[in-house]
Amino acid sequence: MVNQDKQSSPFSRTARLVAHAVTIAVMSYSGSVVADEMDENIKRAETLFNEARAAVKANDYRTACPKFEESLKLARRAGTLFNLAQCEEHEGRLVSAVRYYKEGIVVLEPGDPRLAPSKKQLAIIEPRLPYLTIKLASSLPKGGRVTLDGREVEAIDVEFAVDPGKHEIKVLVPKYADEIAHITLDEGEHGTITVKAGPRLPDAPVTNALGPRRIAAIAAFGVGGLGFVTAAITGGLVVSANARMEEGCPQTVCTTAKGYEAARLGKTLLVVNTIAWGMTIAGAGAGTALLLLDKKKDATKPKSAHSLMIGPGFVGIEGSF
């Protein structure tokens, strides 16, 4: 049996070497692209950090806080976390400030000189946090939810930290009126608020405006309208055919083929025209009669008759027929 390794040609070995070299080149290029992107992110993060620090020196915290946040997204560094924590604390957002201080402390090395002052500042802020407990007077109907300042609350009947100040609690339930409550908490305060679903909204009946008679009346008017259009068209054609017939049949006797054809066409169109006018009159009369009967019936029956009722878990028709 021939050894396959001995059969490999110099060309195949060269091809493998070329493929290996190409793979290394592609990987090196990809790595350099990623490195370039990382360098750009770090440069951008540094620029934003410096801009935020300048805004803090100018006492412009509304500008500084978002820039610190954007810088943090590009490069997560302890210095940015601590500066953002101080910015959030200044703006009264103590919950965020505590979170950023804790994250920054985790990032630091044990011997970092920033560790001790950061822990000290965290210990000062945490006791200032207010705490809120939201309770429900009764269980919410299906689909109900509670929001705090626009964000859904998951911790019902559990105390959680909030920022000091005024807060809005909403109870949102489908087919129920929104229930809104407010509570104001000072620093370090523990508050409790009990909320419930708002009153149920009435099920508005969807009245079936088009009863059988009204539908029949509309159809009758449609037939009448079609008859009127047909009568108008055929009437014009009858006049035209009559003119040609008089030209070709001067003495009531048709002397030309053109006159004969005009006379025959005129007779046919006259029949169609008569039928069309009959359709118009019949359709208009029937439609009017049906509408009058329907109005008379509406005047003698309760307003809720023939109403489509939609309620929780059912769809039905209420009324008499």
Side-chain angles (χ1 to χ4, degrees):
M1 185 174 181
V2 179
N3 192 320
Q4 294 295 329
D5 291 336
K6 293 181 179 181
Q7 294 296 322
S8 61
S9 65
F11 177 77
S12 63
R13 289 196 298 273
T14 302
R16 286 197 298 272
L17 290 173
V18 170
H20 185 62
V22 169
T23 302
I24 293 174
V26 170
M27 292 177 65
S28 300
Y29 175 75
S30 300
S32 65
V33 170
V34 172
D36 289 342
E37 289 181 355
M38 291 178 64
D39 290 341
E40 287 297 321
N41 287 343
I42 291 172
K43 289 178 182 178
R44 177 61 180 160
E46 189 73 22
T47 300
L48 288 166
F49 180 84
N50 292 332
E51 291 175 355
R53 289 294 302 161
V56 168
K57 289 181 181 180
N59 204 32
D60 184 8
Y61 286 87
R62 288 188 177 182
T63 299
C65 293
K67 286 185 178 293
F68 280 131
E69 283 188 89
E70 192 174 350
S71 175
L72 186 65
K73 290 177 182 177
L74 296 172
R76 199 164 193 82
R77 292 179 172 179
T80 310
L81 285 164
F82 292 140
N83 276 273
L84 180 54
Q86 293 170 6
C87 196
E88 293 290 286
E89 179 187 357
H90 183 275
E91 293 298 283
R93 296 187 284 267
L94 301 185
V95 175
S96 299
V98 167
R99 184 176 75 250
Y100 289 129
Y101 267 118
K102 287 182 176 180
E103 290 180 13
I105 289 170
V106 171
V107 173
L108 292 178
E109 295 294 332
D112 196 295
R114 295 171 292 179
L115 189 60
S118 299
K119 287 184 176 180
K120 181 179 179 180
Q121 188 61 28
L122 177 61
I124 294 173
I125 297 176
E126 281 192 302
R128 296 169 55 195
L129 284 171
Y131 284 83
L132 174 64
T133 302
I134 299 176
K135 294 179 176 289
L136 293 174
S138 58
S139 59
L140 292 180
K142 185 178 180 180
R145 57 193 181 95
V146 179
T147 64
L148 174 66
D149 300 327
R151 296 183 178 181
E152 189 164 352
V153 177
E154 296 180 0
I156 299 297
D157 206 17
V158 176
E159 189 177 62
F160 57 93
V162 295
D163 292 324
K166 187 176 182 179
H167 298 277
E168 182 181 76
I169 300 95
K170 284 187 177 181
V171 182
L172 308 174
V173 183
K175 297 183 180 180
Y176 286 74
D178 295 347
E179 187 73 9
I180 302 175
H182 296 91
I183 187 171
T184 301
L185 296 174
D186 296 326
E187 290 187 4
E189 185 179 358
H190 291 249
T192 300
I193 187 169
T194 302
V195 295
K196 62 179 181 179
R200 182 179 173 85
L201 298 174
D203 294 323
V206 181
T207 304
N208 182 11
L210 296 179
R213 289 184 179 177
R214 291 191 182 184
I215 294 173
I218 292 172
F221 281 125
V223 172
L226 179 62
F228 178 79
V229 173
T230 305
I233 295 173
T234 55
L237 294 174
V238 167
V239 172
S240 177
N242 187 55
R244 293 198 303 273
M245 183 185 69
E246 289 181 354
E247 183 180 328
C249 308
Q251 302 296 329
T252 68
V253 177
C254 296
T255 58
T256 64
K258 183 178 179 181
Y260 177 76
E261 288 297 328
R264 190 173 65 173
L265 178 60
K267 185 181 293 185
T268 303
L269 289 172
L270 186 61
V271 173
V272 175
N273 184 260
T274 303
I275 294 173
W277 279 115
M279 288 172 59
T280 302
I281 296 170
T288 302
L290 286 168
L291 283 180
L292 291 174
L293 287 172
D294 193 62
K295 287 183 178 180
K296 184 177 179 181
K297 185 178 179 181
D298 286 342
T300 58
K301 72 179 180 180
K303 294 297 182 182
S304 60
H306 297 296
S307 294
L308 178 65
M309 303 299 295
I310 302 175
F314 76 92
V315 176
I317 297 177
E318 180 183 54
S320 58
F321 295 88

